[in-house]
Amino acid sequence: MEHVQRAFCTTRRAAELLGVSLRTAQLWSESGVLEAWKTEGGHRRISLESVKRLLADPKVISQTESMPPASVPVRDDADRPFSILVVEDEATLCLVYELTLSRWPMQPQVMTAYDGYEALLRVGLNRPDMLVTDLRMPGMNGFQMLRTLRKLHELSDMKIVVVSGLSPDEIEDGGGIPEGIQVLPKPIPFDQLQEIAERVAASRHSPKIKVK
């Protein structure tokens, strides 16, 4: 019994071990990044083995080291930099995204992830204002990631845009795209993406307006 007790912990304890907020630990457990289950009483329990795997992940280490201490208040949306997370497994395209988006008038903070798993990590640590993703990727692909994100109520209003070279039939064969997510074709339509980003940025000052 003692061995079993040490095999899991509470969500709060997982957050403390990982050095992240309770909300981040909850998102990771709900999205499957952390292995979790609920007791008969409805309490969530986290696998310590999955916590150890994240602690050894350099992506998590680099992100948490750059995060402000928990005692520092989070700035209002209007004060923090507008941020975009690009999920794309081709390094060359990631660089093109970074160079192009960083020159937009709003000067967004551009983050990148190479698959759906890394994207979920980054969303938990630093939720972006907008997420742009490909669909075909190794590991957790875009289809799986989008289905996971749309299950999370906390992220229901995050703007997501798919940029893919797949045909409508190929997208349907992959399981389809959740409702409300815009799909744009490759080559990357930067002008359209900029227009969308500008609307999302403007909506931060009018949070009741839902960006389409």
Side-chain angles (χ1 to χ4, degrees):
M1 177 64 73
E2 185 179 356
H3 172 74
V4 173
Q5 289 177 338
R6 286 202 299 264
F8 61 85
C9 64
T10 64
T11 308
R12 185 174 299 279
R13 179 56 178 158
E16 292 172 353
L17 291 170
L18 290 164
V20 299
S21 68
L22 178 60
R23 175 181 172 278
T24 293
Q26 289 171 336
L27 286 176
W28 284 349
S29 63
E30 290 171 4
S31 65
V33 172
L34 282 171
E35 295 175 8
W37 65 93
K38 287 189 177 181
T39 65
E40 292 182 0
H43 302 290
R44 184 180 284 110
R45 295 292 179 261
I46 310 294
S47 160
L48 281 175
E49 186 61 35
S50 67
V51 172
K52 291 176 183 177
R53 283 200 298 270
L54 278 188
L55 284 171
D57 192 323
K59 303 184 194 75
V60 176
I61 295 171
S62 63
Q63 288 287 316
T64 53
E65 286 179 346
S66 64
M67 291 172 65
S71 59
V72 177
V74 178
R75 289 180 294 173
D76 183 79
D77 275 358
D79 297 327
R80 64 177 175 78
F82 183 79
S83 61
I84 301 176
L85 173 61
V86 176
V87 191
E88 170 61 62
D89 65 311
E90 291 189 33
T92 301
L93 285 183
C94 276
L95 181 58
V96 171
Y97 268 113
E98 289 184 274
L99 293 175
T100 304
L101 273 57
S102 63
R103 291 198 294 264
W104 286 354
M106 69 192 72
Q107 296 182 314
Q109 175 189 4
V110 183
M111 304 173 287
T112 58
Y114 292 97
D115 62 21
Y117 172 79
E118 184 178 358
L120 291 174
L121 285 178
R122 295 193 182 282
V123 168
L125 289 168
N126 187 15
R127 172 186 159 154
D129 296 291
M130 178 173 165
L131 185 149
V132 179
T133 184
D134 194 5
L135 293 174
R136 279 183 173 167
M137 293 176 285
M140 179 184 284
N141 62 36
F143 293 104
Q144 296 169 299
M145 179 193 69
L146 293 175
R147 286 194 289 268
T148 297
L149 288 173
R150 278 301 181 241
K151 290 177 182 177
L152 303 176
H153 176 72
E154 298 90 340
L155 303 174
S156 60
D157 61 342
M158 184 173 69
K159 183 62 179 177
I160 300 176
V161 181
V162 168
V163 177
S164 173
L166 297 180
S167 68
D169 287 341
E170 289 174 318
I171 290 176
E172 191 64 30
D173 289 342
I177 302 298
E179 185 178 353
I181 295 178
Q182 190 169 355
V183 181
L184 300 177
K186 285 185 176 181
I188 305 168
F190 285 112
D191 289 345
Q192 285 180 271
L193 286 176
Q194 183 175 341
E195 290 175 3
I196 295 169
E198 288 173 347
R199 291 199 297 271
V200 175
S203 73
R204 295 205 305 177
H205 300 278
S206 303
K208 292 184 180 180
I209 299 176
K210 187 172 182 179
V211 179
K212 296 183 179 179

